[in-house]
Amino acid sequence: MLSPNTPAGNPKYAWSAIARETPPKRSVEERIGDFGEIYSNLDEAKVREQASRCIQCPEPTCAQACPLCNRIPEWLALAAQGLFLEASELSRATSNMPEICSRVCPQEKLCEGSCLLAGKADPVAIGAVERFVNDFALARDAVGAACEPPNGFRVAVIGSGPGGMACADELVQLGFDVTVFEAQLIPGGLLVNGIPAFKLDKGIVERRIELLVRRGVKFQLGVRVGWDVSLAHLRRDYDAVFLGIGAQRSKPLGIPGAELPGVMDALPFLIQKNVVSPLVDLPPIDAAGKRVVVLGGGDTAMDCLRTAIRSGAREAVCLYRRDLANMPGNRKEYANALEEGARFDFLTNPIELKAGADGAVAEVRCVRMELGEADASGRRKPRAVKGSEFSVPADVVLAAYGFEPVPFPPGSDFAALATDEWGGLKIDASQMTSVPGVFAGGDSTRGPSLVVHAVRDGRKAAQGIRRYLHVA
Ligand code: SF4
């Protein structure tokens, strides 16, 4: 895509002479044989070249579209000069896990989707440069663990997903004494359990957690708040609390047959296949040689399809009631799923799950849908086409209709926290809940959302806690 307007030698027009390049992707044959990441990094020369495509807008729309307001043009300029450590340092000033966000953000909807070049040419490969410079710095142990001197305040962070990690990281660097409580035996929350290893290697999350430990964050694993620890206990022992507890209960399928053997939730399937650890103790789910049908059209559905393929499934079919244009899932991951052999049946709504002779699920009864008028969210509402019922054969059915908060146990004093009609925790502008000194963020307040949104919430809550405790 060359501009007619390309004064030779003027770096401002590098974008028109240099084509966008994205990180190399492993071949389909190779990548479906394991759970390793499918992308690798560009080489140094290519990173410099790609970063040089940035036209250095005075009011960068990419930074405005980044939930963390990352200083993108500034670190692109440093990367273009080969100053990778300096670029990484600047990117870390606004992000607690740039090497993770660069791997899992849907850049086409965020920074790259708002790059001024998009439309004229292909956008700058922002995610690829962010990933490279931060992997470069981490591989050289050039990410310092220094923190402010202790300020005497103790904070409990509940949940070690992206929101909890970001909040803990901000606070420990400000001199707070931070303890993270995690219900699972492996820290990382959604980053470990919800995102498959072929999108985010578990070692990258472990490396981030090790850095938190080096900075002084303490982890207490296998502690379920509300069950093992009360809110009163936390408020007595800590000066403030941050809740980053996510929304991990699968939304019910709500159709007959949902309890049949062979029908299961997406999350246990993803955890079992992607987290190889003796600490994961889940009943085995065998997908090898089976017809796996995934219900839903979001990122979790695509993760399930691709995980099923890597687990040897004979077929991996997605049933989604709207069309592709209205499907919420990330387009890059959709393309990857198609390449790997997944099949998508759009405008298809499951209405019943039927058992075979052995009593386990054997078919998904479906009805064809058509799209009607747009609803309040702007998406066109699907409606059933009369007399269009048909069946899709299935040995395993995975429910990926989204997630909602896990309720606290009956009688728990966490019930004192105000929630909305969806069950999400209510918060004010500083992320403080209805209970003074108790803050919250991430999916437990906003519903299932992006990693980068949870990081933003965690950072904002850390500032709220700092102000609440009058720390300068
Ligand atoms: Fe883009 Fe996400 Fe990185 Fe922001 S955090 S610059 S949106 S990839």
Side-chain angles (χ1 to χ4, degrees):
M1 241 185 259
L2 287 183
S3 161
N5 203 358
T6 313
N10 184 344
K12 201 170 165 147
Y13 293 91
W15 61 271
S16 61
I18 301 168
R20 171 184 161 103
E21 272 196 58
T22 49
K25 189 158 69 163
R26 292 200 286 150
S27 72
V28 169
E29 295 69 34
E30 185 190 321
R31 71 191 198 230
I32 63 173
D34 60 43
F35 282 78
E37 282 194 357
I38 74 165
Y39 294 103
S40 53
N41 269 315
L42 292 169
D43 63 32
E44 292 188 23
K46 288 224 165 96
V47 168
R48 292 187 62 170
E49 202 175 67
Q50 290 299 308
S52 76
R53 294 182 72 240
C54 174
I55 57 173
Q56 297 292 316
C57 308
E59 286 183 25
T61 45
C62 56
Q64 289 161 18
C66 169
L68 299 172
C69 302
N70 277 346
R71 293 161 63 179
I72 299 166
E74 293 170 71
W75 46 253
L76 285 174
L78 291 167
Q81 296 169 67
L83 300 171
F84 301 135
L85 294 180
E86 290 82 350
S88 165
E89 190 178 355
L90 195 56
S91 87
R92 294 194 312 272
T94 52
S95 175
N96 304 82
M97 50 191 81
E99 76 286 9
I100 293 176
C101 289
S102 56
R103 283 170 163 82
V104 300
C105 271
Q107 283 99 1
E108 79 280 4
K109 289 187 188 155
L110 301 171
C111 52
E112 293 181 9
S114 294
C115 172
L116 274 196
L117 292 187
K120 278 197 218 62
D122 291 322
V124 175
I126 297 168
V129 177
E130 185 182 29
R131 173 181 161 147
F132 176 89
V133 296
N134 286 291
D135 281 355
F136 184 92
L138 285 159
R140 283 157 184 76
D141 207 10
V143 178
C147 298
E148 298 281 321
N151 61 24
F153 289 106
R154 303 181 75 211
V155 180
V157 169
I158 316 302
S160 63
M165 278 169 71
C167 187
D169 194 27
E170 287 298 286
L171 291 171
V172 79
Q173 291 186 67
L174 289 168
F176 288 86
D177 179 346
V178 183
T179 302
V180 176
F181 293 85
E182 167 58 53
Q184 305 299 321
L185 296 173
I186 303 173
L190 166 94
L191 298 174
V192 170
N193 296 323
I195 300 178
F198 49 83
K199 282 162 67 176
L200 174 64
D201 187 275
K202 307 297 169 197
I204 289 164
V205 184
E206 276 166 30
R207 186 172 61 183
R208 230 338 114 177
I209 288 166
E210 279 163 20
L211 185 56
L212 289 184
V213 171
R214 268 167 48 210
R215 286 184 172 148
V217 175
K218 293 173 278 246
F219 282 83
Q220 287 201 22
L221 304 176
V223 182
R224 298 173 311 156
V225 292
W227 281 264
D228 306 324
V229 183
S230 66
L231 182 58
H233 166 104
L234 292 172
R235 294 187 75 206
R236 187 190 63 223
D237 292 356
Y238 296 89
D239 300 294
V241 177
F242 173 77
L243 300 172
I245 49 182
Q248 294 181 20
R249 187 168 75 164
S250 286
K251 282 194 182 154
L253 284 180
I255 54 174
E259 301 77 28
L260 287 173
V263 181
M264 49 207 99
D265 292 337
L267 209 50
F269 178 71
L270 291 177
I271 296 172
Q272 193 195 73
K273 302 296 178 200
N274 281 282
V275 187
V276 183
S277 165
L279 298 176
V280 173
D281 184 20
L282 289 167
I285 303 169
D286 186 14
K290 301 205 170 151
R291 295 166 300 188
V292 176
V293 173
V294 179
L295 310 184
D299 289 340
T300 305
M302 275 172 278
D303 293 345
C304 286
L305 292 164
R306 300 175 65 196
T307 297
I309 289 167
R310 284 162 175 76
S311 306
R314 172 149 54 110
E315 268 180 24
V317 181
C318 176
L319 307 182
Y320 178 57
R321 64 194 183 124
R322 290 184 161 98
D323 61 359
L324 173 60
N326 288 281
M327 184 178 78
N330 181 320
R331 292 300 180 266
K332 186 170 80 176
E333 304 306 342
Y334 166 68
N336 284 333
L338 275 183
E339 277 178 13
E340 291 169 8
R343 206 180 84 213
F344 287 77
D345 281 358
F346 294 109
L347 295 168
T348 298
N349 197 30
I351 50 174
E352 185 180 3
L353 303 173
K354 296 194 106 168
D358 62 356
V361 71
E363 62 178 284
V364 185
R365 290 290 294 159
C366 302
V367 64
R368 283 274 175 241
M369 306 297 280
E370 59 187 6
L371 295 179
E373 299 303 311
D375 62 16
S377 72
R379 286 202 302 171
R380 290 176 64 196
K381 240 181 147 168
R383 58 181 177 227
V385 177
K386 266 199 189 135
S388 64
E389 287 83 4
F390 64 103
S391 285
V392 175
D395 305 310
V396 172
V397 173
L398 298 172
Y401 277 175
F403 300 97
E404 51 194 22
V406 180
F408 289 111
S412 160
D413 58 358
F414 278 92
L417 298 163
T419 53
D420 56 24
E421 61 288 348
W422 167 77
L425 296 168
K426 281 191 179 172
I427 47 166
D428 67 13
S430 70
Q431 304 280 138
M432 190 156 78
T433 66
S434 57
V435 175
V438 180
F439 294 72
D443 291 0
S444 58
T445 57
R446 61 169 69 246
S449 190
L450 302 173
V451 166
V452 69
H453 287 144
V455 173
R456 180 178 63 186
D457 289 354
R459 293 173 67 83
K460 215 168 131 198
Q463 288 307 320
I465 290 169
R466 185 184 61 75
R467 286 192 298 272
Y468 173 76
L469 294 173
H470 304 291
V471 174

